[in-house]
Amino acid sequence: MLANVEKMTVEVDLKEDALYVIKNGHLTKVTAKDHGQDVIIWKNGQVLDIDRSQRLRIEGQEFI
């Protein structure tokens, strides 16, 4: 990811799976997980939080 602060622009690699959130001029990259879900919480038209959960598949293991 390349940034140009004067123009407030950034270049991203479109071959990479990710979610980008821009809030108040700041870029946050949310990377992919193996399993689970990300829920975006909005408030007044802006992203407030990202709620991440992880799914664990039961495959006969004794402990999780």
Side-chain angles (χ1 to χ4, degrees), residues 9-24:
T9 61
V10 66
E11 291 183 27
V12 297
D13 183 359
L14 296 179
K15 295 177 184 172
E16 181 181 17
D17 291 335
L19 169 76
Y20 293 92
V21 177
I22 302 167
K23 182 176 180 180
N24 299 326

Side-chain angles (χ1 to χ4, degrees), residues 7 9-10 13 15 20 33-34 39 42 46 53:
K7 290 185 179 182
T9 61
V10 66
D13 183 359
K15 295 177 184 172
Y20 293 92
K33 299 171 55 163
D34 289 336
V39 177
W42 296 86
Q46 292 187 344
S53 65

